[in-house]
Amino acid sequence: MVRKIEPERFAQIAAAHDEWHSNPARVLCVACVEVLGVAGAGLALMSGGRSLDLIGVSDAATESVEQIEFMLDEGPCVGAYRTKSPVFDANLADDGTARWPEFRRGAAAVGVRAAFGFPLLFDRICIGALNLFHDQPGALTDDQVADALVVAQFASRSVVSWQADAPPGTIAWQLEQAPSRPVEVYQATGRISVQAGVSLDDALVLLRAYAFSHDLPIKDVIVDVAAGRLELA
Amino acid sequence: MSLAEHQGTAELDETRANAGVASRGLTVRTNQILELVTAAIGIESSAVSILLADRDGGTLHERASSNQAVRAIAQFELQYEEGPCVEACRTGLAVHAGLLHDADARWPHFAPYARDVGVRSVSALPMRVETEVIGALSLFSAEPEPRSPEEQQLTQAFADIAAIGILQERALQEGHAVLTQLQAALESRIVIEQAKGIIAQGAKISVDDAFTLLRAYARNHNCRLRQTACDVIDGTLSTDALTSPRRARNVSAPAITPARKARRG
């Protein structure tokens, strides 16, 4: 018989954290890690087929992996968003596929061995994903899956409730507390589109190709291009 | 797909199915309530109507009725602001009354009218969630006998269920509106950041200085920041135009590169 945490209980755990009043999205991730016993958790908002905002991460290793997902739109949380279903990879190093090359490179670099994405749903629409990461390969247990579904629903409701209280036309402050908002990728593609005379979509392709062929972490390339220190053409 | 993924998907499907039921609309839900109440009370000569208050708890309007005759009765009450449904909404208390005796003092317009169309007794149950009364569910019967206590309780229970369903529906609608706003704000941010990169590269300045130019242009031309950013991205607005604020828009300026026009955010 699968047990799952009650939303009220999860709410209590979250509210007991000091940071609940300054960075509640991060607390949701930290509480998720505590309840499920995984190594890391992240929350991202997505729309129109792409990532919009990384709103919370439990720790630095998760942050680096989530940034790759966010910047390049690849990885389990993107998969979960697109299919509106959980997307699991219990063994990133060796799952028999060639999917998510940059994500897996970044995950390996920080010791993330398994990743599990759960869609954040409101009514029938998907607004983003909850990502779980583990430092050992292996599937989630049934209890962990059940708990993750509760946390994902709790996170969806929290996002709606926070934004409902935000002044019109603004983004809720609770959604702007992630340590580094990776807007640099948009700035970088803007710069590259002018440098190389290409579309913004193609600029992203050039950026990935550059990082890959020079064996550089994609985040470093993005930051340098955005700052004007590196030109790709 | 792994077993755990299947389980997760099955639970999600269930959640989605429930959400689908909820969002199929108030009309389905309230019609179901009408049918259930009529079936439960078990008297063919009864008809049911649901009145609903607007979101701000202000104006009442007729939401659903089991037939045209009872819809007309409900609308009569609203027009005269008098009658059992209106009273239940206003007071938050159940109303159970026969119309053959003593009703004219209470409802001088409604009682004679209702008798004329064949109604002999009424019950109106407030639809209440915690302290808020959002409307009333009413039963109009050709039988003069009042509803038994069991029937009264049962009808109140249906009114309570209808109230919860309506509030859930409203919460969903409000949530959708909120999410649409959020999406628009986040997508604006993307195009603004892309435009900053384009301007920074074209004018050989930092992205922060590029933002200053973008914002100044938008302000001086009374445009929304997002629209200005979109114009930069699709090539309508050149970086030159931004760095020479006195030059009017749409004056032909050499594009940075021919490919600029093809750029799409």
Side-chain angles (χ1 to χ4, degrees), chain B residues 45-246:
Chain B
S45 52
S46 285
V48 186
S49 179
I50 293 181
L51 290 189
L52 205 57
D54 279 349
R55 209 158 294 217
D56 58 5
T59 326
L60 284 174
H61 58 274
E62 180 266 346
R63 187 65 189 80
S65 297
S66 44
N67 61 42
Q68 189 53 39
V70 78
R71 176 170 295 125
I73 297 172
Q75 284 167 346
F76 183 97
E77 283 198 57
L78 293 177
Q79 193 180 341
Y80 283 85
E81 290 183 3
E82 175 201 296
C85 316
V86 167
E87 196 178 299
C89 287
R90 197 181 291 148
T91 64
L93 299 172
V95 173
H96 300 285
L99 292 182
L100 299 183
H101 315 285
D102 306 327
D104 291 50
R106 193 175 185 180
W107 302 313
H109 299 96
F110 173 79
Y113 168 79
R115 279 198 303 271
D116 271 354
V117 299
V119 176
R120 295 227 191 99
S121 65
V122 297
S123 289
L125 294 312
M127 287 166 50
R128 208 173 32 222
V129 179
E130 288 172 20
T131 55
E132 196 188 350
V133 177
I134 63 170
L137 184 150
S138 312
L139 220 59
F140 301 96
S141 178
E143 306 295 323
E145 290 83 33
R147 300 273 78 83
S148 69
E150 290 78 18
E151 285 170 339
Q152 290 180 18
Q153 239 183 3
L154 189 60
T155 320
Q156 181 67 64
F158 281 116
D160 294 342
I161 292 169
I164 290 172
I166 287 164
L167 286 183
Q168 279 177 346
E169 175 79 11
R170 281 187 184 163
L172 283 180
Q173 285 169 354
E174 283 162 7
H176 280 297
V178 159
L179 287 172
T180 303
Q181 259 180 39
L182 175 59
Q183 181 181 328
L186 289 172
E187 286 183 347
S188 278
R189 191 162 69 183
I190 291 177
V191 301
I192 289 167
E193 297 299 329
Q194 286 171 335
K196 280 159 70 171
I198 291 169
I199 296 165
Q201 189 64 31
K204 305 273 181 258
I205 56 180
S206 73
V207 290
D208 288 341
D209 290 344
F211 183 57
T212 305
L213 281 181
L214 192 65
R215 197 174 41 195
Y217 187 93
R219 204 181 293 137
N220 293 339
H221 291 75
N222 247 329
C223 288
R224 301 187 62 183
L225 194 54
R226 180 186 177 156
Q227 183 57 50
T228 308
C230 287
D231 291 343
V232 168
I233 288 172
D234 69 19
T236 314
L237 183 55
S238 71
T239 300
D240 281 356
L242 282 159
T243 53
S244 322
R246 287 222 188 84

Side-chain angles (χ1 to χ4, degrees), chain A residues 36-37 45 58 85 91 93 127 149 157 164 178 202:
Chain A
L36 270 75
L45 299 183
S58 56
S85 292
N91 191 343
I127 65 173
L149 291 171
R157 290 199 184 135
D202 288 344

